[in-house]
Amino acid sequence: MSIVVTGATGKLGRHVVEQLLEKVPAEQITAVVRDESKAADLAGRGVKLAVADYNTPETFDGLFAAGDKVLLISGNEFDKGRPAQHKVVIEAAKAADVALLAYTSAPGSLTAALADDHRATEEILLSSGVPYALLRNGWYFENYTENLAPVLAHGAVVQAAGDGRISAASRADYAAAAVAVLTGEGHEGRTYELGGDESFGFAEYAAELSRQTGREIAYTSVPPEAFAGILTGAGLPEVFAGILAEVDVSVEKGELVVSTGDLSRLAGRPTTSLTDAVAAALKS
């Protein structure tokens, strides 16, 4: 039996593999990658590699074995029909009679278009008959903290979220939950709504940046259309900019506040705080 992680060289996937290495022998882990060279360090540590691509179904033929536990990390190619990509993995998992397929989805409360692909994938997974666990990941701190340069340069946090709040957590937090499901028992048929222990608003985020940098950083909320324009002006594809602007509308509605406590329970520890997330970003 292997624990198989798709998208293993991605930002979340690497966290998952690193944390799995702390819990199980490397030879029990299979990292599914598109580019083998990007996973040379993992192979050097004894992790098995499998080269496969969501867009090339035949590359998943025979990749899984009976009894495997699989983490399907959702793809990020928004223009290539993600549900169809994910279906490739689900069908291969079904053919192999895997023990569990965990999927990184989106919060059930999220109505933004970003959630549509996730809901469609969930329907495919549930109708497949494959033993499943739904990991409905909330927003990542890194969605904000990895792009601090313009914020610090302009002294402004600009979003389209009004006074909305968000239960963000770090990628390492979400990875810990995935690892708990992949290495534990009794998760079949479970849906986990995952988010940070404490919610925050962007005025608080700006205040925390101000406190830690000693600079005046203010939060400005703009209309969604204006926010999308700012993002495209910064080089983001128009489709993706529109998705992010719509997510901010959902934030203002409270749709990304997750109060279940599922994430910290699965991780076995409190989730990363806003203070620690900002501190880590400023050190990097």
Side-chain angles (χ1 to χ4, degrees), residues 74-75 78 82-83 86 103-124 134-139 193 240 242-244 246-248 250 255-256:
S74 57
F78 298 96
R82 292 194 298 168
H86 300 155
Y103 172 65
T104 61
S105 191
S109 54
L110 184 64
T111 63
L114 176 68
D116 293 347
D117 287 352
H118 293 297
R119 298 290 92 85
T121 299
E122 289 183 6
E123 290 179 11
I124 293 167
L134 299 180
L135 305 176
R136 288 179 168 171
N137 288 358
W139 220 230
E193 298 285 349
F240 190 45
I243 288 172
L244 292 180
E246 191 178 6
V247 167
D248 266 16
S250 288
E255 294 177 1
L256 279 172

Short mmCIF file of all heavy atoms in Angstrom, two decimals, residues 74-75 78 82-83 86 103-124 134-139 193 240 242-244 246-248 250 255-256:
data_model
loop_
_atom_site.label_atom_id
_atom_site.label_comp_id
_atom_site.label_asym_id
_atom_site.label_seq_id
_atom_site.Cartn_x
_atom_site.Cartn_y
_atom_site.Cartn_z
N SER A 74 -6.44 19.53 -6.06
CA SER A 74 -7.12 20.14 -7.20
C SER A 74 -6.14 20.88 -8.10
O SER A 74 -5.20 21.51 -7.62
CB SER A 74 -8.22 21.10 -6.72
OG SER A 74 -7.67 22.09 -5.88
N GLY A 75 -6.37 20.78 -9.40
CA GLY A 75 -5.51 21.45 -10.36
C GLY A 75 -5.71 22.96 -10.33
O GLY A 75 -6.66 23.47 -9.75
N PHE A 78 -7.40 26.77 -14.59
CA PHE A 78 -8.82 27.14 -14.57
C PHE A 78 -9.45 27.13 -15.96
O PHE A 78 -10.67 27.08 -16.08
CB PHE A 78 -8.98 28.53 -13.94
CG PHE A 78 -8.51 28.60 -12.51
CD1 PHE A 78 -7.24 29.03 -12.19
CD2 PHE A 78 -9.35 28.21 -11.48
CE1 PHE A 78 -6.81 29.08 -10.88
CE2 PHE A 78 -8.94 28.26 -10.17
CZ PHE A 78 -7.67 28.69 -9.86
N ARG A 82 -11.29 21.76 -15.08
CA ARG A 82 -10.72 21.02 -13.96
C ARG A 82 -11.54 19.78 -13.57
O ARG A 82 -10.95 18.74 -13.24
CB ARG A 82 -10.53 21.94 -12.76
CG ARG A 82 -9.45 22.99 -12.99
CD ARG A 82 -9.04 23.67 -11.70
NE ARG A 82 -10.15 24.39 -11.07
CZ ARG A 82 -10.12 24.87 -9.84
NH1 ARG A 82 -9.07 24.67 -9.07
NH2 ARG A 82 -11.15 25.54 -9.35
N PRO A 83 -12.87 19.82 -13.57
CA PRO A 83 -13.60 18.59 -13.22
C PRO A 83 -13.23 17.40 -14.12
O PRO A 83 -13.09 16.27 -13.63
CB PRO A 83 -15.07 18.99 -13.38
CG PRO A 83 -15.07 20.46 -13.10
CD PRO A 83 -13.79 20.96 -13.72
N HIS A 86 -9.86 16.15 -13.01
CA HIS A 86 -9.95 15.39 -11.76
C HIS A 86 -10.62 14.03 -11.98
O HIS A 86 -10.26 13.04 -11.31
CB HIS A 86 -10.76 16.19 -10.73
CG HIS A 86 -10.15 17.52 -10.40
ND1 HIS A 86 -10.88 18.59 -9.93
CD2 HIS A 86 -8.86 17.96 -10.47
CE1 HIS A 86 -10.08 19.62 -9.74
NE2 HIS A 86 -8.86 19.27 -10.05
N TYR A 103 -9.88 14.52 -1.47
CA TYR A 103 -9.86 15.60 -2.46
C TYR A 103 -9.85 16.95 -1.78
O TYR A 103 -10.64 17.21 -0.88
CB TYR A 103 -11.08 15.49 -3.38
CG TYR A 103 -11.24 16.68 -4.31
CD1 TYR A 103 -10.29 16.95 -5.29
CD2 TYR A 103 -12.33 17.55 -4.18
CE1 TYR A 103 -10.42 18.06 -6.13
CE2 TYR A 103 -12.47 18.65 -5.01
CZ TYR A 103 -11.50 18.90 -5.99
OH TYR A 103 -11.62 20.00 -6.81
N THR A 104 -8.96 17.84 -2.23
CA THR A 104 -8.89 19.19 -1.68
C THR A 104 -9.91 20.07 -2.39
O THR A 104 -9.70 20.52 -3.50
CB THR A 104 -7.49 19.80 -1.80
OG1 THR A 104 -7.12 19.87 -3.19
CG2 THR A 104 -6.46 18.95 -1.08
N SER A 105 -11.00 20.32 -1.71
CA SER A 105 -12.13 21.05 -2.28
C SER A 105 -12.17 22.47 -1.72
O SER A 105 -11.16 22.99 -1.24
CB SER A 105 -13.42 20.29 -2.00
OG SER A 105 -14.51 20.81 -2.72
N ALA A 106 -13.34 23.08 -1.78
CA ALA A 106 -13.55 24.45 -1.27
C ALA A 106 -14.67 24.42 -0.24
O ALA A 106 -15.51 23.52 -0.25
CB ALA A 106 -13.91 25.40 -2.41
N PRO A 107 -14.71 25.40 0.66
CA PRO A 107 -15.75 25.41 1.69
C PRO A 107 -17.15 25.29 1.11
O PRO A 107 -17.46 25.86 0.06
CB PRO A 107 -15.55 26.77 2.37
CG PRO A 107 -14.11 27.08 2.17
CD PRO A 107 -13.78 26.55 0.81
N GLY A 108 -17.99 24.54 1.80
CA GLY A 108 -19.36 24.35 1.33
C GLY A 108 -20.15 25.64 1.30
O GLY A 108 -21.14 25.75 0.58
N SER A 109 -19.73 26.62 2.08
CA SER A 109 -20.43 27.90 2.14
C SER A 109 -20.08 28.84 0.99
O SER A 109 -20.73 29.86 0.79
CB SER A 109 -20.10 28.61 3.46
OG SER A 109 -18.69 28.73 3.62
N LEU A 110 -19.04 28.50 0.22
CA LEU A 110 -18.56 29.41 -0.82
C LEU A 110 -19.44 29.32 -2.06
O LEU A 110 -19.61 28.25 -2.65
CB LEU A 110 -17.11 29.05 -1.19
CG LEU A 110 -16.41 29.98 -2.20
CD1 LEU A 110 -16.26 31.39 -1.63
CD2 LEU A 110 -15.05 29.41 -2.59
N THR A 111 -20.00 30.48 -2.47
CA THR A 111 -20.86 30.51 -3.66
C THR A 111 -20.17 31.11 -4.88
O THR A 111 -20.72 31.09 -5.97
CB THR A 111 -22.14 31.32 -3.39
OG1 THR A 111 -21.79 32.67 -3.09
CG2 THR A 111 -22.92 30.72 -2.23
N ALA A 112 -18.96 31.65 -4.71
CA ALA A 112 -18.23 32.22 -5.85
C ALA A 112 -17.99 31.15 -6.91
O ALA A 112 -17.94 29.95 -6.62
CB ALA A 112 -16.90 32.81 -5.37
N ALA A 113 -17.79 31.60 -8.15
CA ALA A 113 -17.59 30.66 -9.26
C ALA A 113 -16.41 29.73 -9.03
O ALA A 113 -16.37 28.62 -9.58
CB ALA A 113 -17.40 31.44 -10.56
N LEU A 114 -15.46 30.16 -8.22
CA LEU A 114 -14.31 29.32 -7.90
C LEU A 114 -14.75 27.97 -7.35
O LEU A 114 -14.08 26.95 -7.55
CB LEU A 114 -13.42 30.02 -6.87
CG LEU A 114 -12.21 29.24 -6.34
CD1 LEU A 114 -11.18 29.05 -7.46
CD2 LEU A 114 -11.57 29.98 -5.17
N ALA A 115 -15.88 27.94 -6.67
CA ALA A 115 -16.36 26.71 -6.05
C ALA A 115 -17.02 25.76 -7.04
O ALA A 115 -17.18 24.57 -6.74
CB ALA A 115 -17.33 27.04 -4.92
N ASP A 116 -17.38 26.25 -8.21
CA ASP A 116 -18.15 25.43 -9.16
C ASP A 116 -17.39 24.17 -9.56
O ASP A 116 -17.96 23.07 -9.59
CB ASP A 116 -18.51 26.24 -10.40
CG ASP A 116 -19.50 27.36 -10.12
OD1 ASP A 116 -20.09 27.36 -9.02
OD2 ASP A 116 -19.67 28.23 -11.00
N ASP A 117 -16.11 24.32 -9.89
CA ASP A 117 -15.31 23.15 -10.28
C ASP A 117 -15.20 22.15 -9.13
O ASP A 117 -15.18 20.94 -9.34
CB ASP A 117 -13.91 23.58 -10.71
CG ASP A 117 -13.89 24.26 -12.06
OD1 ASP A 117 -14.93 24.28 -12.74
OD2 ASP A 117 -12.82 24.79 -12.45
N HIS A 118 -15.11 22.67 -7.91
CA HIS A 118 -15.00 21.79 -6.75
C HIS A 118 -16.30 21.02 -6.52
O HIS A 118 -16.28 19.82 -6.26
CB HIS A 118 -14.64 22.60 -5.51
CG HIS A 118 -13.26 23.19 -5.56
ND1 HIS A 118 -12.13 22.41 -5.63
CD2 HIS A 118 -12.83 24.48 -5.58
CE1 HIS A 118 -11.06 23.19 -5.66
NE2 HIS A 118 -11.46 24.44 -5.64
N ARG A 119 -17.43 21.72 -6.63
CA ARG A 119 -18.71 21.02 -6.44
C ARG A 119 -18.89 19.95 -7.52
O ARG A 119 -19.38 18.85 -7.23
CB ARG A 119 -19.87 22.02 -6.49
CG ARG A 119 -19.89 23.10 -5.43
CD ARG A 119 -20.20 22.60 -4.03
NE ARG A 119 -19.00 22.26 -3.30
CZ ARG A 119 -18.26 23.13 -2.62
NH1 ARG A 119 -18.61 24.40 -2.58
NH2 ARG A 119 -17.19 22.73 -1.97
N ALA A 120 -18.50 20.28 -8.75
CA ALA A 120 -18.62 19.30 -9.83
C ALA A 120 -17.73 18.09 -9.58
O ALA A 120 -18.13 16.94 -9.82
CB ALA A 120 -18.26 19.96 -11.17
N THR A 121 -16.52 18.34 -9.09
CA THR A 121 -15.61 17.23 -8.79
C THR A 121 -16.15 16.38 -7.66
O THR A 121 -16.08 15.14 -7.70
CB THR A 121 -14.22 17.77 -8.43
OG1 THR A 121 -13.68 18.50 -9.54
CG2 THR A 121 -13.26 16.63 -8.09
N GLU A 122 -16.71 17.03 -6.64
CA GLU A 122 -17.30 16.27 -5.53
C GLU A 122 -18.40 15.35 -6.04
O GLU A 122 -18.51 14.19 -5.61
CB GLU A 122 -17.86 17.22 -4.48
CG GLU A 122 -16.80 17.96 -3.68
CD GLU A 122 -17.40 18.84 -2.59
OE1 GLU A 122 -18.63 18.78 -2.40
OE2 GLU A 122 -16.64 19.56 -1.93
N GLU A 123 -19.22 15.84 -6.96
CA GLU A 123 -20.31 15.01 -7.51
C GLU A 123 -19.74 13.80 -8.25
O GLU A 123 -20.25 12.68 -8.13
CB GLU A 123 -21.18 15.84 -8.45
CG GLU A 123 -22.03 16.89 -7.74
CD GLU A 123 -22.87 17.71 -8.70
OE1 GLU A 123 -22.95 17.32 -9.89
OE2 GLU A 123 -23.44 18.72 -8.28
N ILE A 124 -18.69 14.02 -9.02
CA ILE A 124 -18.05 12.92 -9.75
C ILE A 124 -17.49 11.89 -8.76
O ILE A 124 -17.66 10.68 -8.94
CB ILE A 124 -16.91 13.46 -10.65
CG1 ILE A 124 -17.49 14.32 -11.78
CG2 ILE A 124 -16.09 12.31 -11.24
CD1 ILE A 124 -16.44 15.14 -12.52
N LEU A 134 -13.62 14.40 1.82
CA LEU A 134 -13.60 15.73 1.23
C LEU A 134 -12.90 16.69 2.20
O LEU A 134 -13.36 16.87 3.33
CB LEU A 134 -15.01 16.23 0.93
CG LEU A 134 -15.82 15.40 -0.07
CD1 LEU A 134 -17.20 16.02 -0.27
CD2 LEU A 134 -15.09 15.28 -1.40
N LEU A 135 -11.81 17.25 1.75
CA LEU A 135 -11.06 18.24 2.53
C LEU A 135 -11.40 19.60 1.95
O LEU A 135 -10.77 20.07 0.99
CB LEU A 135 -9.56 17.96 2.43
CG LEU A 135 -9.11 16.56 2.83
CD1 LEU A 135 -7.61 16.40 2.60
CD2 LEU A 135 -9.47 16.27 4.27
N ARG A 136 -12.41 20.24 2.51
CA ARG A 136 -12.87 21.53 1.97
C ARG A 136 -12.01 22.64 2.56
O ARG A 136 -12.37 23.27 3.55
CB ARG A 136 -14.35 21.72 2.27
CG ARG A 136 -15.25 20.81 1.44
CD ARG A 136 -16.71 21.01 1.77
NE ARG A 136 -17.58 20.36 0.80
CZ ARG A 136 -18.90 20.23 0.94
NH1 ARG A 136 -19.49 20.71 2.05
NH2 ARG A 136 -19.63 19.63 0.02
N ASN A 137 -10.88 22.87 1.90
CA ASN A 137 -9.91 23.85 2.38
C ASN A 137 -10.42 25.28 2.23
O ASN A 137 -10.89 25.66 1.15
CB ASN A 137 -8.60 23.74 1.59
CG ASN A 137 -7.82 22.48 1.94
OD1 ASN A 137 -8.23 21.70 2.80
ND2 ASN A 137 -6.69 22.28 1.29
N GLY A 138 -10.28 26.05 3.30
CA GLY A 138 -10.54 27.47 3.22
C GLY A 138 -9.38 28.19 2.55
O GLY A 138 -8.53 27.57 1.90
N TRP A 139 -9.34 29.49 2.73
CA TRP A 139 -8.32 30.32 2.07
C TRP A 139 -6.97 30.18 2.75
O TRP A 139 -6.89 29.90 3.94
CB TRP A 139 -8.79 31.76 2.07
CG TRP A 139 -8.52 32.53 0.81
CD1 TRP A 139 -7.92 33.76 0.73
CD2 TRP A 139 -8.85 32.18 -0.54
NE1 TRP A 139 -7.86 34.19 -0.56
CE2 TRP A 139 -8.43 33.23 -1.38
CE3 TRP A 139 -9.47 31.07 -1.12
CZ2 TRP A 139 -8.59 33.21 -2.76
CZ3 TRP A 139 -9.63 31.05 -2.50
CH2 TRP A 139 -9.20 32.11 -3.29
N GLU A 193 -14.86 20.62 6.88
CA GLU A 193 -14.84 22.04 6.54
C GLU A 193 -13.65 22.66 7.27
O GLU A 193 -13.64 22.74 8.50
CB GLU A 193 -16.15 22.72 6.96
CG GLU A 193 -17.40 22.17 6.27
CD GLU A 193 -17.54 22.62 4.83
OE1 GLU A 193 -16.77 23.53 4.42
OE2 GLU A 193 -18.40 22.08 4.11
N PHE A 240 -8.54 34.89 -14.08
CA PHE A 240 -8.13 34.67 -12.69
C PHE A 240 -8.41 35.91 -11.84
O PHE A 240 -8.84 35.80 -10.69
CB PHE A 240 -6.66 34.29 -12.63
CG PHE A 240 -6.20 33.81 -11.27
CD1 PHE A 240 -6.96 32.90 -10.56
CD2 PHE A 240 -5.02 34.26 -10.72
CE1 PHE A 240 -6.56 32.45 -9.31
CE2 PHE A 240 -4.60 33.82 -9.48
CZ PHE A 240 -5.37 32.91 -8.77
N GLY A 242 -10.79 38.01 -12.27
CA GLY A 242 -12.22 38.00 -12.02
C GLY A 242 -12.61 37.03 -10.92
O GLY A 242 -13.48 37.32 -10.09
N ILE A 243 -11.96 35.87 -10.90
CA ILE A 243 -12.22 34.87 -9.87
C ILE A 243 -11.88 35.42 -8.49
O ILE A 243 -12.64 35.31 -7.53
CB ILE A 243 -11.42 33.58 -10.15
CG1 ILE A 243 -12.02 32.84 -11.34
CG2 ILE A 243 -11.38 32.68 -8.92
CD1 ILE A 243 -11.20 31.67 -11.82
N LEU A 244 -10.71 36.07 -8.38
CA LEU A 244 -10.29 36.61 -7.09
C LEU A 244 -11.20 37.74 -6.62
O LEU A 244 -11.51 37.85 -5.43
CB LEU A 244 -8.84 37.09 -7.18
CG LEU A 244 -7.78 36.02 -7.37
CD1 LEU A 244 -6.40 36.63 -7.45
CD2 LEU A 244 -7.84 34.98 -6.25
N GLU A 246 -14.34 38.00 -7.31
CA GLU A 246 -15.59 37.38 -6.88
C GLU A 246 -15.43 36.71 -5.52
O GLU A 246 -16.35 36.71 -4.70
CB GLU A 246 -16.06 36.36 -7.91
CG GLU A 246 -17.47 35.88 -7.65
CD GLU A 246 -17.98 34.90 -8.69
OE1 GLU A 246 -17.20 34.49 -9.57
OE2 GLU A 246 -19.17 34.52 -8.61
N VAL A 247 -14.25 36.15 -5.26
CA VAL A 247 -13.99 35.58 -3.94
C VAL A 247 -14.09 36.67 -2.87
O VAL A 247 -14.63 36.44 -1.78
CB VAL A 247 -12.62 34.89 -3.89
CG1 VAL A 247 -12.20 34.59 -2.45
CG2 VAL A 247 -12.63 33.60 -4.71
N ASP A 248 -13.58 37.86 -3.16
CA ASP A 248 -13.69 38.95 -2.20
C ASP A 248 -15.14 39.31 -1.90
O ASP A 248 -15.49 39.67 -0.77
CB ASP A 248 -12.93 40.18 -2.70
CG ASP A 248 -11.50 40.24 -2.17
OD1 ASP A 248 -11.01 39.21 -1.67
OD2 ASP A 248 -10.88 41.32 -2.24
N SER A 250 -17.47 37.17 -1.84
CA SER A 250 -17.87 36.11 -0.92
C SER A 250 -17.32 36.36 0.48
O SER A 250 -17.98 36.07 1.48
CB SER A 250 -17.39 34.75 -1.43
OG SER A 250 -18.15 34.33 -2.55
N GLU A 255 -18.68 34.22 3.63
CA GLU A 255 -18.68 32.84 3.15
C GLU A 255 -17.35 32.12 3.36
O GLU A 255 -17.27 30.90 3.15
CB GLU A 255 -19.05 32.81 1.66
CG GLU A 255 -20.47 33.24 1.38
CD GLU A 255 -20.81 33.28 -0.10
OE1 GLU A 255 -19.93 32.94 -0.92
OE2 GLU A 255 -21.95 33.64 -0.44
N LEU A 256 -16.32 32.84 3.76
CA LEU A 256 -15.04 32.19 4.03
C LEU A 256 -14.68 32.23 5.51
O LEU A 256 -13.53 32.12 5.89
CB LEU A 256 -13.93 32.81 3.18
CG LEU A 256 -13.88 32.27 1.74
CD1 LEU A 256 -12.89 33.05 0.89
CD2 LEU A 256 -13.53 30.80 1.71
#
